Amino acid sequence: MDFDAIVVGSGISGGWVAKELCERGLKTLVLERGRDVQHRVDYLDFAPPWELPHRGLVPETEKAQHYAIQSTSHAFNSASSQWFVRDSEHPYSTPMDRPFSWIRGYQLGGRSITWGRQTYRMSDFDFKANRLDGHGIDWPIRYEDIQPWYDRVERFAGISGSNEGLEQLPDGQFLPPLALNCVELAFKQKTEADHPTRRVTVARCAHLTEPTPEHIALGRGPCQLRNVCERGCGYGGYFSSLSATLPAARKTGNLTVITDAIVERLDYDHAKQRVSGVRVIDAKTRQGRSYQARVVFVCASTLGTAQILLASRSEHFPTGLANRSDAVGRYLMDHVMGLGATGTHPGFLDRYYYGRRPAGFYLPRYVNLTERGNADFVRGFGFQGHSYRSSWGRGVSEPGVGAELKQRLRYPGRWEMTLIGFGEMLPRPDNRVTLGERTDRWGIPLLHIDCTHGENERRIAERGSRDAAAMLAAAGFENITSNGPIRPPGDAVHEMGTARMGLDPATSVLNRYNQAHDVSNLFITDGSCMTSTGTVNPSLTYMALSARAAHHAADLLGSGEI
Ligand SMILES: Cc1cc2nc3c(=O)[nH]c(=O)nc-3n(C[C@H](O)[C@H](O)[C@H](O)COP(=O)(O)OP(=O)(O)OC[C@H]3O[C@@H](n4cnc5c(N)ncnc54)[C@H](O)[C@@H]3O)c2cc1C
Ligand code: SF4
């Protein structure tokens, strides 16, 4: 064996697995398909606007040439575009009438550099939902199984937030919260007074408002509230693989990282029922090689992992590795986007705020929390929101020159508020990825993604937009516009579900510890393991499941069971 463990992918889930395995004393190899990134050195976070290419904007011609229309997000600008995969260089296909946005980051650290850092725990409303309403299979775990691991990852990552005592949004191990501004506080008071089941709380986010000695020992410092996070943060003010998990893993002396190493497939030894090798293509030289380890974790992100499993066909797994259930590549989900609303407030004109803030507020799910439900759909949605005083009637971020622009800039603008909804998407077998006929420049089959929203998602989106508009109107907002219509899946960048966990090997790929039912030394802990989406941003759950699975694998290795 070359190593005790191999981890494929260095993003949020791979970083966590590497840290935990290294700290358990296992010699661990991380294989990353993208380039090496030096924390601090390779970021543009200290560049002033006038030093950025195109003053921070990405030219329309560049977008048109390299990025699918949907594949650009609020975090995409000329200082962060280096972290977004160009679709022109890494294509995939979809049916013409069913677009899917596959937003990727192929580099050391993956999308932990660009993520929005919103971090919420799933609750038993989520872990029990499939069993109760019959959509999808039952999760093999409950909140109590994952709760200590949420505690562990929150403490290490550093999550700021406020405890609220809500069953649908469990409390956590939080650093001091950020503050709500005056308009957000007024919205909170009005909404909670009108609707006793709705709560507006400060966003929970992976920012160090007050670093602990553990954070400082890793070279991380307090968040400076600069709001240039998507460029990468030299202070280590927010959690990423580069600021936190990989440095911790390196400290143990047990970590080896190889970048530009595209995992093409896993080899399977049927006699031992184990992965016997990880085949890699060098991204630069295109030469192939193979690595062996006692245990293999695939954390290449939901679709990247599906691609590797589907490509790992063998005599005993003709449709893809660990795919006896035929669930690999199926049940693809994302959160429903295109619900919510925006409005402007005529008041509070004598109030302002100082500085910036990397997150606003959260309004957790409030529908269908009773046994009988109270909506014409199952599951629910939550809102992220913030209020700010800038663009409405003001020249900030608007094109323009000369006296007219200067005049507009003098006016502080009205208060504006946005509620961005995230709805639950149901697991369906027909929402799936398969390998296409075409191959990429390394000879690896391209993914074909066929995924679409159904009637339940449409109803969630309609209700979410309606409720958001009504709450804004009740709180005195005007000029209210809906965020609808529903967006194609992929837009939330929360893709998940293509190698789901479950109790029954006939219907699921992974057991309750993220170990493949069919292959004892194979673990998968990225979003592909998710059995349902819940309504909250998922990455904190990937972190907790990753840490939990890594310790389980270390235990099994220790006892000689794998
Ligand atoms: C703009 C934006 C905002 C977001 N906001 C939030 C948020 O607020 N909260 C939240 O919870 N989530 C958010 N997300 C989603 C979050 O980034 C993902 O859920 C998370 O990064 C997934 O972790 P992962 O480890 O599965 O994948 P990634 O972080 O994508 O890492 C996967 C890694 O695997 C590598 N890889 C892929 N294929 C191979 C291969 N064949 N061989 C070797 N390596 C491979 C990739 O290069 C990458 O480094 C956001 C994402 C984006 C882009
Ligand atoms: S807001 Fe905080 S985390 Fe984001 S770039 Fe600034 S210092 Fe870093």
Side-chain angles (χ1 to χ4, degrees), residues 326-327 329-332 426-433 450 500:
D326 192 31
R330 293 188 186 270
Y331 308 100
L332 175 61
L426 296 176
R428 279 189 288 273
D430 293 345
N431 283 334
R432 68 182 300 201
V433 292
D450 188 346
R500 64 185 182 179

Side-chain angles (χ1 to χ4, degrees), residues 8-14 31-34 73-75 84 103 105-112 114-119 261-264 299-302 304 308 384 492-494 526-527 537-540 542:
V8 181
S10 62
I12 288 185
S13 51
L31 294 169
E32 167 54 53
R33 70 170 295 157
S73 80
H74 61 279
F84 286 81
I103 300 176
Y106 289 166
Q107 62 265 329
L108 192 67
R111 289 174 294 180
S112 75
T114 47
W115 72 310
R117 309 160 308 281
Q118 299 262 338
T119 34
I262 305 172
V263 171
E264 176 193 10
C299 303
S301 81
T302 296
I308 293 170
Q384 288 171 26
V493 209
H494 294 164
D526 56 32
N537 306 56
S539 303
L540 187 74
Y542 305 168

Side-chain angles (χ1 to χ4, degrees), residues 402-417:
E404 193 253 345
L405 176 66
K406 284 185 188 167
Q407 194 56 37
R408 273 192 287 142
L409 283 169
R410 289 166 68 93
Y411 176 61
R414 279 203 198 184
W415 285 92
E416 199 166 322
M417 181 175 279

